[in-house]
Amino acid sequence: MTYRRWFVVGLAFAVIGALVAAFAIFYGSFSPRGYVEDHYGRDAGRDIGREAVAYTSAGTPSHVAKEITDAWQPADQYVDGSGVYLRYDDDSVVILPIATGSVILLEPLRTAYPRYHSTVGSYWGWGRGSTVRGGGPGAGK
């Protein structure tokens, strides 16, 4: 009787594992980073150092941003004439126009915030991993 119970428990875990694996294969990874990696073409020639990893799309920055934000809602989003800047808990996704569509830069938030501070300084920085102090008088001191 004990062996049968363990067999049923093991079979249940195997079925759950197979379902999770199938979901990951058919619907992509479980993060904004994974979504970009799965849906856009890698372009190592456009990387910025080792931190900002580049991907490209034939779509406009606003179209690419809509695709990404429909799949993964950002903590913050800033849009101006230079591009679309999406902030997530640990990563940033920066979408900039190029002649053939868009370049999508994936970068850890810790390096993206200093890089794009002049553009997103008053919009980003209040989430986990931020280097910005905030709050009321005396906060962050």
Side-chain angles (χ1 to χ4, degrees):
M1 188 78 168
T2 293
Y3 291 115
R4 183 177 176 167
R5 182 173 28 170
W6 284 112
F7 177 77
V8 171
V9 170
L11 184 62
F13 276 108
V15 169
I16 291 169
L19 290 173
V20 169
F23 182 81
I25 290 168
F26 291 111
Y27 295 104
S29 295
F30 299 101
S31 69
R33 177 174 289 274
Y35 181 86
V36 170
E37 291 169 346
D38 290 346
H39 289 85
Y40 302 102
R42 179 79 169 90
D43 188 348
R46 295 184 185 272
D47 287 358
I48 302 174
R50 286 184 284 183
E51 295 86 16
V53 179
Y55 293 80
T56 56
S57 171
T60 64
S62 60
H63 178 77
V64 173
K66 181 167 178 10
E67 290 175 342
I68 296 169
T69 59
D70 283 351
W72 291 96
Q73 187 64 37
D76 285 314
Q77 179 174 337
Y78 180 74
V79 181
D80 71 4
S82 67
V84 179
Y85 303 81
L86 306 174
R87 181 181 68 85
Y88 293 93
D89 282 344
D90 298 319
D91 291 312
S92 72
V93 178
V94 176
I95 308 157
L96 305 173
I98 55 175
T100 58
S102 299
V103 63
I104 305 147
L105 296 165
L106 288 177
E107 185 170 5
L109 192 57
R110 65 180 162 66
T111 58
Y113 185 81
R115 183 184 317 277
Y116 301 108
H117 179 267
S118 63
T119 303
V120 299
S122 62
Y123 297 94
W124 280 11
W126 305 110
R128 191 178 77 204
S130 169
T131 58
V132 175
R133 297 179 190 185
K141 293 183 181 177

